[in-house]
Amino acid sequence: MFMRIDHIGIACHDLEEKIEFFSRTFELTVVAREVNEEQGVKEAMLHIADGAGGGSYIQLLEPLSEDSPVGKFLARRGEGVHHVAFGVNDVADAMARINEKGVRLLDERPRHGSMNSRIAFLHPKDVGGMLTELVQASDSGKPSQNV
Ligand code: V0V
Ligand code: CO
């Protein structure tokens, strides 16, 4: 079901500062940026590798408000790994098959994600304490927003 690691999501207070750090230290390039109001984040994707079905990235996340998922996480735990996202071929099919096994879905239907992907989250308490995201990459795989 899981084809690859799509991205590691990292919560931070200052997106620009962390972009600067990650791109300079690890020689990574920002390939997409987006404000996602539905998810309450401003985010940037730093490209690591390409693979079948989509690439692998680090996703830097700054909250749009304190009561958003990432805002609450920062208040409770501080900066750090917020979620791990796995690439799947068909997100709706993966959601149904995972839910059948008793894992709670945080989304009733796929949502819009970075670079025109379709995403859904699984409850961290049902996945060993790890907030887990399913990602179906867009067909084009091309960055959709202003880089
Ligand atoms: C909360 N918990 C976590 C966690 N956030 N555990 C691991 N990793 C995290 N990131 C734990 C928390 O410590 C509690 O444990 C328990 O889950 C229930 O938390 P809660 O008090 O209900 O916390 P809330 O209200 O902050 O909700 C947590 C969830 C929420 C996970 C339900 O953050 C959510 O719906 N997330 C999905 C959407 C999201 O994260 N969007 C931002 C990324 P104890 O205290 O009970 O032990 S957007 C994105 O990735 C995009 C756009 C993309 O990739 O394209
Ligand atoms: Co993500």
Side-chain angles (χ1 to χ4, degrees):
M1 186 186 300
F2 288 173
M3 314 290 288
R4 63 201 159 77
I5 292 174
D6 185 282
H7 63 267
I8 309 287
I10 298 177
C12 64
H13 291 291
D14 184 333
L15 184 66
E16 298 309 321
E17 181 193 293
K18 285 296 181 294
I19 287 174
E20 208 279 321
F21 172 79
F22 275 83
S23 56
R24 181 170 45 81
T25 307
F26 303 121
E27 300 168 7
L28 300 173
T29 303
V30 175
V31 291
R33 288 176 183 246
E34 185 169 339
V35 173
N36 187 324
E37 300 277 353
E38 185 180 39
Q39 298 293 339
V41 294
K42 185 162 86 166
E43 52 96 352
M45 298 293 265
L46 282 73
H47 179 257
I48 294 178
D50 285 316
S56 293
Y57 307 87
I58 286 175
Q59 180 176 61
L60 300 175
L61 302 156
E62 180 187 309
L64 295 178
S65 68
E66 284 178 12
D67 63 354
S68 63
V70 175
K72 286 188 194 171
F73 180 91
L74 282 172
R76 200 188 288 128
R77 303 194 191 189
E79 293 186 318
V81 174
H82 177 259
H83 64 270
V84 178
F86 296 93
V88 296
N89 273 337
D90 179 334
V91 70
D93 178 64
M95 289 168 76
R97 284 159 60 194
I98 291 167
N99 192 229
E100 271 174 16
K101 290 165 184 137
V103 172
R104 282 170 287 171
L105 307 174
L106 295 172
D107 300 290
E108 285 170 21
R109 55 181 175 77
R111 311 276 176 191
H112 167 82
S114 187
M115 300 191 293
N116 275 333
S117 60
R118 300 175 76 218
I119 63 173
F121 287 90
L122 311 178
H123 201 293
K125 289 288 159 191
D126 295 348
V127 192
M130 175 176 74
L131 177 57
T132 304
E133 179 183 344
L134 310 176
V135 180
Q136 180 182 337
S138 73
D139 285 338
S140 72
K142 294 207 178 75
S144 58
Q145 305 290 328
N146 46 320
V147 173

